[in-house]
Amino acid sequence: MKKRTKLPTILSLFAAVFLVLGACSNSDDKNKEEKEVKEHREMDMNHSSSGDVPEGLKAAENPTYEVGSQAIIESGHMESMKGAEATIVGAFDTTAYAISYTPATGGEKVENHKWIIHEEIKDAGEVTYEPGAEVTVNASHMEGMNGAVAKVESAEKTTVYMVDFTPTKGGEKVKNHKWVTESELSASK
């Protein structure tokens, strides 16, 4: 009789140990996933740039936000960007594309990256690319972007802006960030 009462107790102990170990494993996986997302946002994007613009890009003649003016960023391409006050450094009329691509250096696919512009597509020509088109990227906004083959997700003829801003959560000022579209800005208060 005593053997029968020990067996359920031992089985219960084993089950409890496996549940605890399983919970620890799930917690570790979740922490690792959150860390990877944070690292992607913080490390892959070249927040600041030299301010050089692609050959053939023309300055906007009458931009809504003039060079030197202030505007509020209403988009969140990167952490601490949404709500930041920006100084307009450049304004250009072009087509902005949202793209999905696998980095040329390998790694996870980047979905719906905003934005590259028409002049940052290799051998672009004059015609606007339609959603679904495959293009080769000639820009280095993120690690592995330059030379990557990308799928156009959307295209928008607009004024794009190069901006300087300080992240809303603090940190180093971002200079010459490329690109923010006109619809992603609002008047500074």
Side-chain angles (χ1 to χ4, degrees):
M1 274 313 237
K2 288 188 178 184
K3 285 186 180 179
R4 286 187 182 170
T5 56
K6 286 184 180 180
L7 186 59
T9 304
I10 292 170
L11 288 176
S12 294
L13 286 173
F14 275 121
V17 168
F18 283 117
L19 284 173
V20 169
L21 290 175
C24 290
S25 174
N26 288 343
S27 176
D28 289 344
D29 289 347
K30 185 178 178 188
N31 289 341
K32 181 181 176 189
E33 205 172 283
E34 287 173 357
K35 182 181 176 193
E36 286 173 356
V37 167
K38 185 177 179 189
E39 285 173 353
H40 174 76
R41 283 192 307 243
E42 292 176 356
M43 295 174 68
D44 288 350
M45 185 168 276
N46 296 330
H47 304 306
S48 293
S49 76
S50 66
D52 293 338
V53 296
E55 192 175 310
L57 183 61
K58 304 229 184 304
E61 288 187 27
N62 294 307
T64 301
Y65 304 98
E66 303 219 4
V67 172
S69 68
Q70 306 288 307
I72 302 298
I73 302 172
E74 299 294 341
S75 63
H77 301 172
M78 56 185 249
E79 194 171 0
S80 299
M81 185 177 191
K82 187 174 183 170
E85 186 171 58
T87 299
I88 306 301
V89 178
F92 308 92
D93 289 329
T94 188
T95 301
Y97 297 95
I99 58 169
S100 295
Y101 67 97
T102 300
T105 54
E108 302 239 350
K109 185 174 184 177
V110 176
E111 298 282 350
N112 205 36
H113 171 82
K114 295 180 181 174
W115 302 99
I116 67 165
I117 59 173
H118 192 76
E119 292 77 7
E120 293 174 323
I121 295 175
K122 184 178 180 185
D123 302 325
E126 298 295 319
V127 179
T128 299
Y129 291 94
E130 297 293 325
E134 214 172 74
V135 299
T136 301
V137 181
N138 191 19
S140 299
H141 304 177
M142 295 178 70
E143 186 178 323
M145 179 182 266
N146 197 29
V149 174
K151 177 182 157 195
V152 172
E153 299 294 344
S154 67
E156 179 182 336
K157 284 190 184 248
T158 186
T159 301
V160 295
Y161 296 88
M162 187 181 329
V163 297
D164 291 348
F165 68 94
T166 300
T168 57
K169 292 185 179 173
E172 197 171 314
K173 185 173 187 171
V174 176
K175 296 181 133 298
N176 303 313
H177 175 77
K178 299 172 187 167
W179 303 101
V180 180
T181 62
E182 191 159 296
S183 64
E184 295 174 316
L185 295 171
S186 64
S188 186
K189 296 172 182 162

mmCIF file of all heavy atoms in Angstrom, residues 28-77:
data_model
loop_
_atom_site.group_PDB
_atom_site.id
_atom_site.type_symbol
_atom_site.label_atom_id
_atom_site.label_comp_id
_atom_site.label_asym_id
_atom_site.label_seq_id
_atom_site.Cartn_x
_atom_site.Cartn_y
_atom_site.Cartn_z
ATOM 1 N N ASP A 28 12.337 33.491 -20.329
ATOM 2 C CA ASP A 28 13.612 33.769 -20.989
ATOM 3 C C ASP A 28 13.424 34.037 -22.472
ATOM 4 O O ASP A 28 14.026 34.947 -23.030
ATOM 5 C CB ASP A 28 14.595 32.605 -20.792
ATOM 6 C CG ASP A 28 15.108 32.512 -19.353
ATOM 7 O OD1 ASP A 28 14.948 33.494 -18.597
ATOM 8 O OD2 ASP A 28 15.655 31.452 -18.996
ATOM 9 N N ASP A 29 12.559 33.243 -23.122
ATOM 10 C CA ASP A 29 12.288 33.446 -24.552
ATOM 11 C C ASP A 29 11.666 34.815 -24.797
ATOM 12 O O ASP A 29 12.024 35.505 -25.739
ATOM 13 C CB ASP A 29 11.346 32.353 -25.090
ATOM 14 C CG ASP A 29 12.027 30.997 -25.192
ATOM 15 O OD1 ASP A 29 13.273 30.947 -25.097
ATOM 16 O OD2 ASP A 29 11.305 29.995 -25.349
ATOM 17 N N LYS A 30 10.715 35.215 -23.948
ATOM 18 C CA LYS A 30 10.051 36.510 -24.103
ATOM 19 C C LYS A 30 11.057 37.647 -23.919
ATOM 20 O O LYS A 30 11.077 38.598 -24.692
ATOM 21 C CB LYS A 30 8.909 36.644 -23.104
ATOM 22 C CG LYS A 30 8.107 37.910 -23.290
ATOM 23 C CD LYS A 30 6.964 37.990 -22.318
ATOM 24 C CE LYS A 30 6.235 39.305 -22.524
ATOM 25 N NZ LYS A 30 5.248 39.540 -21.496
ATOM 26 N N ASN A 31 11.917 37.549 -22.910
ATOM 27 C CA ASN A 31 12.932 38.579 -22.669
ATOM 28 C C ASN A 31 13.888 38.677 -23.842
ATOM 29 O O ASN A 31 14.272 39.760 -24.249
ATOM 30 C CB ASN A 31 13.707 38.307 -21.379
ATOM 31 C CG ASN A 31 12.855 38.533 -20.144
ATOM 32 O OD1 ASN A 31 11.837 39.202 -20.195
ATOM 33 N ND2 ASN A 31 13.273 37.940 -19.040
ATOM 34 N N LYS A 32 14.280 37.532 -24.395
ATOM 35 C CA LYS A 32 15.198 37.511 -25.536
ATOM 36 C C LYS A 32 14.549 38.184 -26.743
ATOM 37 O O LYS A 32 15.172 38.977 -27.438
ATOM 38 C CB LYS A 32 15.571 36.064 -25.869
ATOM 39 C CG LYS A 32 16.550 35.936 -27.018
ATOM 40 C CD LYS A 32 16.872 34.497 -27.311
ATOM 41 C CE LYS A 32 17.772 34.399 -28.522
ATOM 42 N NZ LYS A 32 17.937 33.032 -28.973
ATOM 43 N N GLU A 33 13.271 37.873 -26.983
ATOM 44 C CA GLU A 33 12.533 38.461 -28.107
ATOM 45 C C GLU A 33 12.444 39.979 -27.960
ATOM 46 O O GLU A 33 12.681 40.718 -28.912
ATOM 47 C CB GLU A 33 11.125 37.857 -28.124
ATOM 48 C CG GLU A 33 10.458 37.878 -29.463
ATOM 49 C CD GLU A 33 9.174 37.083 -29.419
ATOM 50 O OE1 GLU A 33 9.226 35.840 -29.434
ATOM 51 O OE2 GLU A 33 8.108 37.731 -29.359
ATOM 52 N N GLU A 34 12.097 40.473 -26.753
ATOM 53 C CA GLU A 34 12.003 41.911 -26.523
ATOM 54 C C GLU A 34 13.350 42.586 -26.734
ATOM 55 O O GLU A 34 13.429 43.669 -27.300
ATOM 56 C CB GLU A 34 11.494 42.193 -25.105
ATOM 57 C CG GLU A 34 10.029 41.881 -24.935
ATOM 58 C CD GLU A 34 9.567 41.990 -23.496
ATOM 59 O OE1 GLU A 34 10.394 42.249 -22.591
ATOM 60 O OE2 GLU A 34 8.357 41.792 -23.265
ATOM 61 N N LYS A 35 14.432 41.930 -26.294
ATOM 62 C CA LYS A 35 15.773 42.484 -26.455
ATOM 63 C C LYS A 35 16.133 42.587 -27.937
ATOM 64 O O LYS A 35 16.682 43.585 -28.385
ATOM 65 C CB LYS A 35 16.789 41.605 -25.721
ATOM 66 C CG LYS A 35 18.203 42.124 -25.800
ATOM 67 C CD LYS A 35 19.156 41.203 -25.075
ATOM 68 C CE LYS A 35 20.581 41.703 -25.262
ATOM 69 N NZ LYS A 35 21.568 40.730 -24.864
ATOM 70 N N GLU A 36 15.794 41.542 -28.723
ATOM 71 C CA GLU A 36 16.109 41.555 -30.149
ATOM 72 C C GLU A 36 15.360 42.672 -30.875
ATOM 73 O O GLU A 36 15.920 43.348 -31.732
ATOM 74 C CB GLU A 36 15.773 40.197 -30.774
ATOM 75 C CG GLU A 36 16.760 39.110 -30.394
ATOM 76 C CD GLU A 36 16.335 37.727 -30.866
ATOM 77 O OE1 GLU A 36 15.228 37.581 -31.424
ATOM 78 O OE2 GLU A 36 17.117 36.789 -30.658
ATOM 79 N N VAL A 37 14.080 42.893 -30.526
ATOM 80 C CA VAL A 37 13.308 43.960 -31.153
ATOM 81 C C VAL A 37 13.941 45.301 -30.817
ATOM 82 O O VAL A 37 14.118 46.157 -31.681
ATOM 83 C CB VAL A 37 11.828 43.910 -30.690
ATOM 84 C CG1 VAL A 37 11.086 45.178 -31.081
ATOM 85 C CG2 VAL A 37 11.145 42.689 -31.277
ATOM 86 N N LYS A 38 14.300 45.498 -29.547
ATOM 87 C CA LYS A 38 14.920 46.752 -29.121
ATOM 88 C C LYS A 38 16.246 46.971 -29.845
ATOM 89 O O LYS A 38 16.539 48.056 -30.320
ATOM 90 C CB LYS A 38 15.133 46.748 -27.604
ATOM 91 C CG LYS A 38 15.670 48.054 -27.075
ATOM 92 C CD LYS A 38 15.794 48.017 -25.572
ATOM 93 C CE LYS A 38 16.354 49.340 -25.091
ATOM 94 N NZ LYS A 38 16.697 49.347 -23.703
ATOM 95 N N GLU A 39 17.058 45.908 -29.940
ATOM 96 C CA GLU A 39 18.347 46.037 -30.629
ATOM 97 C C GLU A 39 18.139 46.399 -32.091
ATOM 98 O O GLU A 39 18.856 47.222 -32.648
ATOM 99 C CB GLU A 39 19.138 44.728 -30.528
ATOM 100 C CG GLU A 39 19.733 44.502 -29.151
ATOM 101 C CD GLU A 39 20.364 43.134 -29.023
ATOM 102 O OE1 GLU A 39 20.240 42.293 -29.949
ATOM 103 O OE2 GLU A 39 20.978 42.886 -27.975
ATOM 104 N N HIS A 40 17.133 45.809 -32.740
ATOM 105 C CA HIS A 40 16.856 46.116 -34.144
ATOM 106 C C HIS A 40 16.532 47.591 -34.300
ATOM 107 O O HIS A 40 17.049 48.265 -35.169
ATOM 108 C CB HIS A 40 15.704 45.259 -34.658
ATOM 109 C CG HIS A 40 15.282 45.618 -36.044
ATOM 110 N ND1 HIS A 40 15.998 45.256 -37.143
ATOM 111 C CD2 HIS A 40 14.236 46.345 -36.496
ATOM 112 C CE1 HIS A 40 15.411 45.730 -38.217
ATOM 113 N NE2 HIS A 40 14.344 46.390 -37.855
ATOM 114 N N ARG A 41 15.665 48.091 -33.425
ATOM 115 C CA ARG A 41 15.270 49.499 -33.520
ATOM 116 C C ARG A 41 16.449 50.420 -33.252
ATOM 117 O O ARG A 41 16.594 51.445 -33.887
ATOM 118 C CB ARG A 41 14.158 49.803 -32.524
ATOM 119 C CG ARG A 41 12.808 49.304 -32.951
ATOM 120 C CD ARG A 41 11.739 49.899 -32.072
ATOM 121 N NE ARG A 41 12.005 49.695 -30.672
ATOM 122 C CZ ARG A 41 11.247 48.990 -29.842
ATOM 123 N NH1 ARG A 41 10.170 48.422 -30.273
ATOM 124 N NH2 ARG A 41 11.566 48.869 -28.575
ATOM 125 N N GLU A 42 17.283 50.087 -32.285
ATOM 126 C CA GLU A 42 18.334 51.001 -31.865
ATOM 127 C C GLU A 42 19.615 50.881 -32.673
ATOM 128 O O GLU A 42 20.322 51.852 -32.845
ATOM 129 C CB GLU A 42 18.670 50.771 -30.389
ATOM 130 C CG GLU A 42 17.538 51.183 -29.474
ATOM 131 C CD GLU A 42 17.828 50.876 -28.022
ATOM 132 O OE1 GLU A 42 18.876 50.265 -27.734
ATOM 133 O OE2 GLU A 42 17.011 51.252 -27.177
ATOM 134 N N MET A 43 19.940 49.688 -33.167
ATOM 135 C CA MET A 43 21.250 49.493 -33.771
ATOM 136 C C MET A 43 21.241 49.495 -35.286
ATOM 137 O O MET A 43 22.201 49.916 -35.898
ATOM 138 C CB MET A 43 21.855 48.184 -33.262
ATOM 139 C CG MET A 43 22.137 48.227 -31.769
ATOM 140 S SD MET A 43 22.669 46.648 -31.136
ATOM 141 C CE MET A 43 24.263 46.484 -31.904
ATOM 142 N N ASP A 44 20.181 49.007 -35.895
ATOM 143 C CA ASP A 44 20.196 48.845 -37.346
ATOM 144 C C ASP A 44 20.025 50.142 -38.114
ATOM 145 O O ASP A 44 20.539 50.292 -39.191
ATOM 146 C CB ASP A 44 19.097 47.864 -37.783
ATOM 147 C CG ASP A 44 19.424 46.442 -37.401
ATOM 148 O OD1 ASP A 44 20.561 46.199 -36.983
ATOM 149 O OD2 ASP A 44 18.539 45.586 -37.523
ATOM 150 N N MET A 45 19.270 51.077 -37.570
ATOM 151 C CA MET A 45 19.015 52.303 -38.301
ATOM 152 C C MET A 45 20.147 53.297 -38.063
ATOM 153 O O MET A 45 20.567 53.500 -36.943
ATOM 154 C CB MET A 45 17.682 52.915 -37.878
ATOM 155 C CG MET A 45 17.325 54.134 -38.698
ATOM 156 S SD MET A 45 15.646 54.687 -38.477
ATOM 157 C CE MET A 45 14.791 53.634 -39.609
ATOM 158 N N ASN A 46 20.636 53.882 -39.150
ATOM 159 C CA ASN A 46 21.615 54.954 -39.042
ATOM 160 C C ASN A 46 20.808 56.224 -38.771
ATOM 161 O O ASN A 46 20.334 56.865 -39.695
ATOM 162 C CB ASN A 46 22.407 55.101 -40.347
ATOM 163 C CG ASN A 46 23.235 53.869 -40.630
ATOM 164 O OD1 ASN A 46 23.672 53.194 -39.724
ATOM 165 N ND2 ASN A 46 23.433 53.579 -41.896
ATOM 166 N N HIS A 47 20.645 56.558 -37.500
ATOM 167 C CA HIS A 47 19.775 57.663 -37.123
ATOM 168 C C HIS A 47 20.224 58.971 -37.764
ATOM 169 O O HIS A 47 19.426 59.735 -38.257
ATOM 170 C CB HIS A 47 19.741 57.812 -35.601
ATOM 171 C CG HIS A 47 19.330 56.555 -34.905
ATOM 172 N ND1 HIS A 47 18.172 55.881 -35.207
ATOM 173 C CD2 HIS A 47 19.926 55.846 -33.920
ATOM 174 C CE1 HIS A 47 18.073 54.827 -34.436
ATOM 175 N NE2 HIS A 47 19.116 54.780 -33.648
ATOM 176 N N SER A 48 21.507 59.249 -37.724
ATOM 177 C CA SER A 48 22.043 60.478 -38.304
ATOM 178 C C SER A 48 22.716 60.146 -39.630
ATOM 179 O O SER A 48 23.125 59.008 -39.855
ATOM 180 C CB SER A 48 23.065 61.113 -37.368
ATOM 181 O OG SER A 48 22.439 61.585 -36.190
ATOM 182 N N SER A 49 22.816 61.146 -40.479
ATOM 183 C CA SER A 49 23.524 60.931 -41.747
ATOM 184 C C SER A 49 24.375 62.154 -42.047
ATOM 185 O O SER A 49 24.308 63.166 -41.357
ATOM 186 C CB SER A 49 22.526 60.686 -42.884
ATOM 187 O OG SER A 49 21.913 61.894 -43.289
ATOM 188 N N SER A 50 25.146 62.045 -43.106
ATOM 189 C CA SER A 50 26.039 63.137 -43.504
ATOM 190 C C SER A 50 25.268 64.332 -44.054
ATOM 191 O O SER A 50 25.784 65.433 -44.121
ATOM 192 C CB SER A 50 27.008 62.638 -44.577
ATOM 193 O OG SER A 50 26.275 62.332 -45.754
ATOM 194 N N GLY A 51 24.041 64.087 -44.452
ATOM 195 C CA GLY A 51 23.276 65.165 -45.077
ATOM 196 C C GLY A 51 23.405 65.165 -46.587
ATOM 197 O O GLY A 51 22.756 65.954 -47.269
ATOM 198 N N ASP A 52 24.240 64.261 -47.115
ATOM 199 C CA ASP A 52 24.353 64.145 -48.568
ATOM 200 C C ASP A 52 23.036 63.630 -49.124
ATOM 201 O O ASP A 52 22.383 62.783 -48.513
ATOM 202 C CB ASP A 52 25.466 63.163 -48.948
ATOM 203 C CG ASP A 52 26.848 63.675 -48.571
ATOM 204 O OD1 ASP A 52 27.009 64.904 -48.407
ATOM 205 O OD2 ASP A 52 27.769 62.847 -48.427
ATOM 206 N N VAL A 53 22.655 64.135 -50.282
ATOM 207 C CA VAL A 53 21.424 63.678 -50.919
ATOM 208 C C VAL A 53 21.776 63.015 -52.249
ATOM 209 O O VAL A 53 22.800 63.318 -52.851
ATOM 210 C CB VAL A 53 20.417 64.833 -51.132
ATOM 211 C CG1 VAL A 53 19.968 65.402 -49.800
ATOM 212 C CG2 VAL A 53 20.968 65.913 -52.022
ATOM 213 N N PRO A 54 20.923 62.093 -52.707
ATOM 214 C CA PRO A 54 21.196 61.401 -53.962
ATOM 215 C C PRO A 54 21.256 62.364 -55.151
ATOM 216 O O PRO A 54 20.558 63.390 -55.169
ATOM 217 C CB PRO A 54 20.008 60.456 -54.120
ATOM 218 C CG PRO A 54 19.404 60.347 -52.775
ATOM 219 C CD PRO A 54 19.699 61.624 -52.073
ATOM 220 N N GLU A 55 22.059 61.998 -56.114
ATOM 221 C CA GLU A 55 22.179 62.785 -57.335
ATOM 222 C C GLU A 55 20.818 62.860 -58.021
ATOM 223 O O GLU A 55 20.083 61.881 -58.097
ATOM 224 C CB GLU A 55 23.194 62.100 -58.267
ATOM 225 C CG GLU A 55 23.617 62.948 -59.427
ATOM 226 C CD GLU A 55 24.719 62.272 -60.241
ATOM 227 O OE1 GLU A 55 25.709 61.825 -59.638
ATOM 228 O OE2 GLU A 55 24.546 62.202 -61.471
ATOM 229 N N GLY A 56 20.482 64.047 -58.507
ATOM 230 C CA GLY A 56 19.227 64.233 -59.228
ATOM 231 C C GLY A 56 18.055 64.630 -58.347
ATOM 232 O O GLY A 56 16.995 64.987 -58.858
ATOM 233 N N LEU A 57 18.223 64.596 -57.031
ATOM 234 C CA LEU A 57 17.137 64.990 -56.135
ATOM 235 C C LEU A 57 17.005 66.506 -56.145
ATOM 236 O O LEU A 57 17.977 67.226 -55.949
ATOM 237 C CB LEU A 57 17.418 64.490 -54.709
ATOM 238 C CG LEU A 57 16.332 64.754 -53.676
ATOM 239 C CD1 LEU A 57 15.017 64.074 -54.067
ATOM 240 C CD2 LEU A 57 16.782 64.269 -52.310
ATOM 241 N N LYS A 58 15.786 66.979 -56.397
ATOM 242 C CA LYS A 58 15.559 68.419 -56.527
ATOM 243 C C LYS A 58 14.894 68.982 -55.281
ATOM 244 O O LYS A 58 13.949 68.400 -54.753
ATOM 245 C CB LYS A 58 14.682 68.695 -57.741
ATOM 246 C CG LYS A 58 15.253 68.111 -59.026
ATOM 247 C CD LYS A 58 15.275 69.126 -60.130
ATOM 248 C CE LYS A 58 15.731 68.592 -61.452
ATOM 249 N NZ LYS A 58 16.980 67.964 -61.556
ATOM 250 N N ALA A 59 15.388 70.141 -54.827
ATOM 251 C CA ALA A 59 14.791 70.830 -53.684
ATOM 252 C C ALA A 59 13.367 71.232 -54.024
ATOM 253 O O ALA A 59 13.072 71.628 -55.160
ATOM 254 C CB ALA A 59 15.622 72.050 -53.312
ATOM 255 N N ALA A 60 12.468 71.143 -53.052
ATOM 256 C CA ALA A 60 11.077 71.550 -53.244
ATOM 257 C C ALA A 60 11.018 73.065 -53.403
ATOM 258 O O ALA A 60 11.709 73.794 -52.687
ATOM 259 C CB ALA A 60 10.240 71.105 -52.050
ATOM 260 N N GLU A 61 10.196 73.533 -54.348
ATOM 261 C CA GLU A 61 10.103 74.972 -54.596
ATOM 262 C C GLU A 61 9.278 75.687 -53.535
ATOM 263 O O GLU A 61 9.633 76.778 -53.104
ATOM 264 C CB GLU A 61 9.531 75.223 -55.994
ATOM 265 C CG GLU A 61 10.529 74.885 -57.083
ATOM 266 C CD GLU A 61 10.036 75.281 -58.458
ATOM 267 O OE1 GLU A 61 9.219 76.229 -58.567
ATOM 268 O OE2 GLU A 61 10.463 74.642 -59.434
ATOM 269 N N ASN A 62 8.166 75.114 -53.129
ATOM 270 C CA ASN A 62 7.285 75.734 -52.131
ATOM 271 C C ASN A 62 6.863 74.709 -51.077
ATOM 272 O O ASN A 62 5.682 74.354 -50.987
ATOM 273 C CB ASN A 62 6.032 76.324 -52.805
ATOM 274 C CG ASN A 62 6.376 77.480 -53.704
ATOM 275 O OD1 ASN A 62 7.038 78.419 -53.275
ATOM 276 N ND2 ASN A 62 5.934 77.405 -54.953
ATOM 277 N N PRO A 63 7.802 74.229 -50.252
ATOM 278 C CA PRO A 63 7.430 73.208 -49.269
ATOM 279 C C PRO A 63 6.529 73.786 -48.175
ATOM 280 O O PRO A 63 6.618 74.978 -47.848
ATOM 281 C CB PRO A 63 8.772 72.771 -48.688
ATOM 282 C CG PRO A 63 9.655 73.966 -48.841
ATOM 283 C CD PRO A 63 9.214 74.608 -50.138
ATOM 284 N N THR A 64 5.681 72.959 -47.623
ATOM 285 C CA THR A 64 4.829 73.371 -46.504
ATOM 286 C C THR A 64 5.693 73.773 -45.314
ATOM 287 O O THR A 64 5.389 74.737 -44.619
ATOM 288 C CB THR A 64 3.885 72.219 -46.106
ATOM 289 O OG1 THR A 64 3.087 71.892 -47.250
ATOM 290 C CG2 THR A 64 2.980 72.604 -44.948
ATOM 291 N N TYR A 65 6.768 73.029 -45.087
ATOM 292 C CA TYR A 65 7.689 73.315 -43.985
ATOM 293 C C TYR A 65 9.014 73.752 -44.591
ATOM 294 O O TYR A 65 9.711 72.963 -45.218
ATOM 295 C CB TYR A 65 7.863 72.079 -43.097
ATOM 296 C CG TYR A 65 6.533 71.585 -42.570
ATOM 297 C CD1 TYR A 65 5.867 70.528 -43.195
ATOM 298 C CD2 TYR A 65 5.927 72.210 -41.490
ATOM 299 C CE1 TYR A 65 4.640 70.093 -42.731
ATOM 300 C CE2 TYR A 65 4.699 71.780 -41.024
ATOM 301 C CZ TYR A 65 4.054 70.723 -41.643
ATOM 302 O OH TYR A 65 2.826 70.304 -41.192
ATOM 303 N N GLU A 66 9.347 75.010 -44.452
ATOM 304 C CA GLU A 66 10.553 75.574 -45.061
ATOM 305 C C GLU A 66 11.802 75.170 -44.291
ATOM 306 O O GLU A 66 11.751 74.914 -43.085
ATOM 307 C CB GLU A 66 10.427 77.095 -45.102
ATOM 308 C CG GLU A 66 9.187 77.523 -45.859
ATOM 309 C CD GLU A 66 9.410 78.737 -46.712
ATOM 310 O OE1 GLU A 66 10.536 79.232 -46.796
ATOM 311 O OE2 GLU A 66 8.424 79.167 -47.317
ATOM 312 N N VAL A 67 12.920 75.123 -45.011
ATOM 313 C CA VAL A 67 14.208 74.814 -44.383
ATOM 314 C C VAL A 67 14.454 75.826 -43.266
ATOM 315 O O VAL A 67 14.271 77.031 -43.446
ATOM 316 C CB VAL A 67 15.350 74.841 -45.425
ATOM 317 C CG1 VAL A 67 16.701 74.709 -44.742
ATOM 318 C CG2 VAL A 67 15.147 73.731 -46.450
ATOM 319 N N GLY A 68 14.813 75.317 -42.090
ATOM 320 C CA GLY A 68 15.046 76.153 -40.921
ATOM 321 C C GLY A 68 13.847 76.263 -39.998
ATOM 322 O O GLY A 68 13.983 76.672 -38.848
ATOM 323 N N SER A 69 12.656 75.875 -40.482
ATOM 324 C CA SER A 69 11.459 75.959 -39.635
ATOM 325 C C SER A 69 11.359 74.736 -38.720
ATOM 326 O O SER A 69 12.098 73.771 -38.872
ATOM 327 C CB SER A 69 10.200 76.100 -40.499
ATOM 328 O OG SER A 69 9.958 74.905 -41.226
ATOM 329 N N GLN A 70 10.414 74.804 -37.789
ATOM 330 C CA GLN A 70 10.174 73.715 -36.835
ATOM 331 C C GLN A 70 8.868 73.009 -37.181
ATOM 332 O O GLN A 70 7.935 73.644 -37.676
ATOM 333 C CB GLN A 70 10.064 74.272 -35.411
ATOM 334 C CG GLN A 70 11.233 75.122 -34.960
ATOM 335 C CD GLN A 70 12.466 74.302 -34.696
ATOM 336 O OE1 GLN A 70 12.444 73.353 -33.952
ATOM 337 N NE2 GLN A 70 13.563 74.674 -35.333
ATOM 338 N N ALA A 71 8.813 71.710 -36.892
ATOM 339 C CA ALA A 71 7.593 70.923 -37.077
ATOM 340 C C ALA A 71 7.603 69.788 -36.056
ATOM 341 O O ALA A 71 8.654 69.460 -35.501
ATOM 342 C CB ALA A 71 7.519 70.364 -38.497
ATOM 343 N N ILE A 72 6.446 69.206 -35.819
ATOM 344 C CA ILE A 72 6.315 68.065 -34.911
ATOM 345 C C ILE A 72 6.231 66.798 -35.758
ATOM 346 O O ILE A 72 5.456 66.728 -36.713
ATOM 347 C CB ILE A 72 5.058 68.182 -34.014
ATOM 348 C CG1 ILE A 72 5.097 69.480 -33.192
ATOM 349 C CG2 ILE A 72 4.921 66.957 -33.111
ATOM 350 C CD1 ILE A 72 6.258 69.596 -32.230
ATOM 351 N N ILE A 73 7.028 65.795 -35.402
ATOM 352 C CA ILE A 73 7.009 64.510 -36.118
ATOM 353 C C ILE A 73 5.839 63.684 -35.584
ATOM 354 O O ILE A 73 5.762 63.412 -34.390
ATOM 355 C CB ILE A 73 8.337 63.753 -35.943
ATOM 356 C CG1 ILE A 73 9.508 64.609 -36.438
ATOM 357 C CG2 ILE A 73 8.274 62.411 -36.669
ATOM 358 C CD1 ILE A 73 10.882 64.017 -36.127
ATOM 359 N N GLU A 74 4.949 63.290 -36.481
ATOM 360 C CA GLU A 74 3.759 62.530 -36.108
ATOM 361 C C GLU A 74 3.902 61.036 -36.385
ATOM 362 O O GLU A 74 2.949 60.289 -36.200
ATOM 363 C CB GLU A 74 2.537 63.078 -36.867
ATOM 364 C CG GLU A 74 2.226 64.534 -36.571
ATOM 365 C CD GLU A 74 1.773 64.776 -35.134
ATOM 366 O OE1 GLU A 74 1.352 63.824 -34.449
ATOM 367 O OE2 GLU A 74 1.859 65.944 -34.692
ATOM 368 N N SER A 75 5.073 60.595 -36.833
ATOM 369 C CA SER A 75 5.290 59.178 -37.145
ATOM 370 C C SER A 75 6.332 58.609 -36.189
ATOM 371 O O SER A 75 7.046 59.347 -35.527
ATOM 372 C CB SER A 75 5.764 59.026 -38.582
ATOM 373 O OG SER A 75 7.017 59.666 -38.726
ATOM 374 N N GLY A 76 6.406 57.298 -36.157
ATOM 375 C CA GLY A 76 7.368 56.651 -35.283
ATOM 376 C C GLY A 76 8.218 55.638 -36.014
ATOM 377 O O GLY A 76 8.160 54.455 -35.710
ATOM 378 N N HIS A 77 9.002 56.064 -36.990
ATOM 379 C CA HIS A 77 9.878 55.144 -37.715
ATOM 380 C C HIS A 77 10.868 54.477 -36.777
ATOM 381 O O HIS A 77 11.340 53.391 -37.027
ATOM 382 C CB HIS A 77 10.700 55.868 -38.793
ATOM 383 C CG HIS A 77 9.876 56.573 -39.812
ATOM 384 N ND1 HIS A 77 10.438 57.393 -40.755
ATOM 385 C CD2 HIS A 77 8.556 56.599 -40.042
ATOM 386 C CE1 HIS A 77 9.481 57.890 -41.520
ATOM 387 N NE2 HIS A 77 8.346 57.428 -41.103
#
